[in-house]
Amino acid sequence: MTTNAELAARFEEFADLLEADGVEYKPRAYRRAAENIRAHPAPIADRIEAGDREAVENIDGVGDAISSKVIEYVETGTIEELEDLRSELPIDIADITRIEGVGPKTAGKLYRELGVQTLDDLEAAAEAGEVQEVKGFGPKTEQNILENLEFARTVGQRQLLGEARPLADDVLAFLESIDAVERCEVAGSIRRWRETIGDVDVLAATDAGEDVVEAFVGWDSVDDEIESGPEKASVRVGESRVDLRVVVPEEFGAALQYFTGSKDHNVALRNYAIDREMKLNEYGAFDVSSEALRASSSRTESDDDIEDPESGQRVGERVAGETEDGMYEALGLPWIPPELRTDRGEIAAAERGELPALLVRDDIRGDLHTHTEWSDGNTDVAAMVEAAAERGYDYFGIADHAEGPGIVGGMGLSDAEILEYAEEVRAVGEEAEIEVFAGIEANVDADGEIDLSEEVIETLDVIVASTHSALDQDAETATERLVHALENPAIDVLGHPSGRLLNERSGLEFDATALGEAAAEHDTALEVNSNPRRLDLWGSAVQAALEKGAPISINTDSHRPATLEYMRWGVHTARRGWAEPDDVINTWGLADLREFLH
């Protein structure tokens, strides 16, 4: 099955190679098409296979030329023009451009000047001092390449949560349609809502394991069977690997706890169990106290006194395993949400009865950072506001880009344009069913300053300030820069603080505790940017900031109505940081939020 994410990846590669080849304008069109294809709510391949080719042309940014290439890829698995480009520029463009500061044009120049095709080629050239000899480069650029090679090599091995989770939901829906499956759930990092995942892990409870495995590998969406056996199977769906494990229903809870992880959480929980004369494994929770073992040796085998599948030895009474809640209850603990299972104090908090009452999606009452066609969005103000109202929001903020460093293609607004844009936002707001905030996304420069006039600052309702440039600063400099921005009374929200793009660039490193202290002191929110390519702040940084009393804002950074759904990823990311509803300013009522927005 060709997924929307797979199609988008092909056109992103197309755009990068065209840019590397020096082509103007066309790359931007391909990137816009890729973004819209990725965000399309329905599987595009299904429409093509059903004979509805016109549906492709109706996608924003996909005209006749790109539409024909989409259809060509779905039907043949290749695009002839892309293959020609790959032959002309045999560059591992996705890998090389993951290095901070190396874009497609730079990659093309390195290929033409030094023959660099792979990360290994680039490393050899940099170590030999050849990169700094290329016009436009220098020792600093060469050193930056060497320092970022490890990141570029490792980051591409994992898939974005926002791409993998929808596939996981499809897998669960298929398994639930099988009569023999009593229960099923995702496991592993995808259940913990980690920002990137390796494989899609799924667990199913059934007394007919072989039949379920057979049905799974025969699923219409499966492209290739990697391996299968009586208790597990691995398949490829699009560009993703999906691993299924089947267990008997009475062991489902134990297996779900075990295979959800994380490894650190499981080790800590097993040690906690040992201290209480209990044993945990994927088959259940066992009482291994001296009393239980004596009782075991003095009676015949029964359902509650079983052989440990790991060791083959008789153990004490099996006290839990059918449900995951029961595995924690056997230790005297409440169930710990998967997002918290990172060994960052969750077991001790559970023991004290102090686990957070985590935020849920329905707590969100608005979105404060979105874009329209005034800058780099794909639709108008009215359409975005209407989409927000349809989602049941109480309020909604438009924050298009101000001009400044790091804004590609001159898409940012000047002060005069901002004033004009704010008038339109307010005019739409007067007719809307919900409260509409006129905002801006300002640019935090290398020194932590923003470039907005006093008139603009006084005019706007909300100012989001974000980093878009100078993302190679060291941690100390970056922390000082971001803290200085938080000290600016005009700024309401510090947007995507690191500026990272998952699997593309690492962004800034900084002291999240220091940011939390500054945000709390100056009453400025730190953003959890919900775009699945950002998820910035991330769980541990949110937790560090919340411990210092910082307010959080979860926003989608949407550029079209469909991507307002990104809020799902931001909420779970904030949950990984132990966020409760009151910690998040866009769960507050309108009056409280207005008071916060200085």
Side-chain angles (χ1 to χ4, degrees):
M1 179 182 73
T2 302
T3 64
N4 290 356
E6 183 181 347
L7 278 167
R10 296 292 80 77
F11 285 95
E12 285 164 348
E13 180 189 5
F14 220 137
D16 285 347
L17 288 173
L18 286 168
E19 188 173 339
D21 201 32
V23 176
E24 300 286 343
Y25 307 116
K26 204 172 181 181
R28 182 177 170 186
Y30 277 62
R31 289 196 180 96
R32 182 182 179 192
E35 197 172 355
N36 291 340
I37 288 169
R38 190 183 297 277
H40 196 64
I44 294 169
D46 287 357
R47 305 305 308 158
I48 294 171
E49 289 166 1
D52 185 8
R53 299 188 172 204
E54 291 184 1
V56 184
E57 296 179 7
N58 291 332
I59 300 171
D60 286 343
V62 178
D64 291 344
I66 294 178
S67 173
S68 66
K69 292 178 176 64
V70 171
I71 294 168
E72 181 185 358
Y73 187 79
V74 171
E75 293 181 343
T76 69
T78 188
I79 302 172
E80 184 177 355
E81 190 175 333
L82 177 58
E83 293 300 323
D84 290 342
L85 258 179
R86 287 170 171 170
S87 297
E88 294 171 14
L89 290 169
I91 308 170
D92 289 342
I93 194 77
D95 286 348
I96 290 175
T97 55
R98 286 190 184 104
I99 294 178
E100 179 63 37
V102 178
K105 288 183 179 178
T106 301
K109 190 169 187 177
L110 289 169
Y111 170 69
R112 287 187 290 272
E113 297 287 335
L114 301 176
V116 169
Q117 299 182 32
T118 67
L119 286 173
D120 288 345
D121 294 342
L122 184 55
E123 181 175 31
E127 288 182 340
E130 295 173 353
V131 171
Q132 63 179 286
E133 300 300 325
V134 176
K135 185 177 180 181
F137 292 77
K140 184 178 179 180
T141 301
E142 189 171 74
Q143 184 60 32
N144 175 70
I145 287 170
L146 290 170
E147 290 174 353
N148 283 276
L149 277 165
E150 182 179 356
F151 170 83
R153 284 196 171 101
T154 59
V155 75
Q157 298 170 9
R158 298 181 64 84
Q159 188 177 8
L160 298 183
L161 171 67
E163 296 173 352
R165 182 71 206 208
L167 170 59
D169 292 341
D170 290 343
V171 175
L172 290 178
F174 172 73
L175 291 172
E176 287 168 354
S177 72
I178 302 173
D179 290 339
V181 173
E182 294 189 17
R183 283 178 288 171
C184 58
E185 182 57 275
V186 293
S189 56
I190 199 167
R191 186 167 181 242
R192 301 194 311 274
W193 298 85
R194 187 173 172 182
E195 58 262 43
T196 61
I197 64 108
D199 306 323
V200 176
D201 297 311
V202 188
L203 194 68
T206 178
D207 286 316
E210 292 190 33
D211 292 342
V212 172
V213 167
E214 183 179 354
F216 173 68
V217 298
W219 182 29
D220 289 344
S221 295
V222 170
D223 292 311
D224 289 305
E225 177 184 334
I226 299 171
E227 59 181 345
S228 65
E231 297 178 346
K232 58 185 178 180
S234 298
V235 300
R236 186 179 66 80
V237 179
E239 296 185 330
S240 301
R241 174 178 171 133
V242 183
D243 294 332
L244 169 70
R245 182 179 293 265
V246 294
V247 299
V248 293
E250 57 265 29
E251 294 174 355
F252 181 77
L256 183 59
Q257 193 285 318
Y258 180 86
F259 289 111
T260 293
S262 67
K263 180 180 178 180
D264 290 341
H265 173 81
N266 282 357
V267 169
L269 194 67
R270 287 200 297 270
N271 289 336
Y272 186 88
I274 289 169
D275 290 342
R276 287 151 184 81
E277 297 187 290
M278 298 285 291
K279 177 176 181 177
L280 301 185
N281 58 33
E282 63 188 277
Y283 307 102
F286 302 86
D287 183 350
V288 293
S289 64
S290 299
E291 181 180 345
L293 291 175
R294 281 196 302 272
S296 172
S297 64
S298 66
R299 66 176 186 261
T300 57
E301 186 173 353
S302 69
D303 289 341
D304 294 328
D305 178 32
I306 67 173
E307 184 179 276
D308 179 1
E310 286 186 338
S311 65
Q313 301 296 314
R314 290 281 292 279
V315 296
E317 183 181 1
R318 181 178 184 270
V319 296
E322 185 172 356
T323 68
E324 190 178 53
D325 286 24
M327 293 292 288
Y328 288 95
E329 289 171 5
L331 301 178
L333 298 174
W335 177 78
I336 298 176
E339 295 97 327
L340 301 188
R341 300 181 197 176
T342 57
D343 193 27
R344 294 203 307 265
E346 69 276 8
I347 295 173
E351 184 180 23
R352 297 191 305 269
E354 296 177 359
L355 284 174
L358 295 178
L359 170 87
V360 297
R361 173 65 185 82
D362 287 346
D363 291 323
I364 299 296
R365 302 179 68 172
D367 191 338
L368 302 177
H369 178 183
T370 64
H371 296 270
T372 74
E373 60 190 10
W374 271 93
S375 62
D376 60 343
N378 287 357
T379 191
D380 60 27
V381 172
M384 290 296 287
V385 171
E386 181 181 0
E390 289 173 354
R391 298 184 71 81
Y393 283 155
D394 296 333
Y395 44 78
F396 187 66
I398 306 287
D400 272 306
H401 285 287
E403 61 186 2
I407 301 303
V408 179
M411 298 295 290
L413 304 177
S414 66
D415 280 0
E417 290 169 328
I418 291 171
L419 296 174
E420 183 183 352
Y421 139 86
E423 285 184 12
E424 180 179 328
V425 173
R426 292 223 163 83
V428 170
E430 288 176 3
E431 303 296 324
E433 302 173 3
I434 61 177
E435 189 75 11
V436 180
F437 295 121
I440 203 72
E441 184 178 10
N443 301 285
V444 177
D445 69 17
D447 298 318
E449 301 286 349
I450 62 171
D451 186 16
L452 295 175
S453 69
E454 286 300 322
E455 183 181 9
V456 164
I457 291 171
E458 291 294 329
T459 298
L460 296 172
D461 301 311
V462 56
I463 295 176
V464 179
S466 308
T467 56
H468 296 100
S469 61
L471 300 179
D472 56 352
Q473 292 175 323
D474 61 72
E476 182 178 357
T477 303
T479 301
E480 292 174 354
R481 169 190 185 181
L482 296 176
V483 166
H484 184 62
L486 288 166
E487 293 168 346
N488 187 330
I491 296 173
D492 300 296
V493 179
L494 183 66
H496 52 74
S498 81
R500 75 177 185 179
L501 290 174
L502 292 166
N503 289 358
E504 295 178 44
R505 68 184 184 214
S506 55
L508 296 170
E509 294 184 8
F510 52 77
D511 182 342
T513 297
L515 257 64
E517 290 175 342
E521 180 182 354
H522 299 286
D523 213 20
T524 303
L526 300 176
E527 182 180 70
V528 174
N529 188 293
S530 303
N531 186 313
R533 307 181 87 169
R534 290 189 183 275
L535 298 183
D536 176 12
L537 294 170
W538 49 92
S540 60
V542 171
Q543 186 177 4
L546 288 179
E547 287 174 352
K548 295 300 179 181
I552 299 295
S553 181
I554 306 174
N555 302 310
T556 62
D557 201 354
S558 290
H559 287 61
R560 66 188 58 77
T563 54
L564 292 175
E565 180 58 30
Y566 286 169
M567 188 61 74
R568 180 189 192 191
W569 318 125
V571 166
H572 282 284
T573 298
R575 284 169 61 93
R576 284 173 61 83
W578 299 49
E580 299 183 293
D582 286 348
D583 297 322
V584 180
I585 66 171
N586 46 314
T587 70
W588 301 353
L590 182 59
D592 289 337
L593 181 62
R594 278 198 175 279
E595 184 177 347
F596 176 85
L597 298 174
H598 10 288

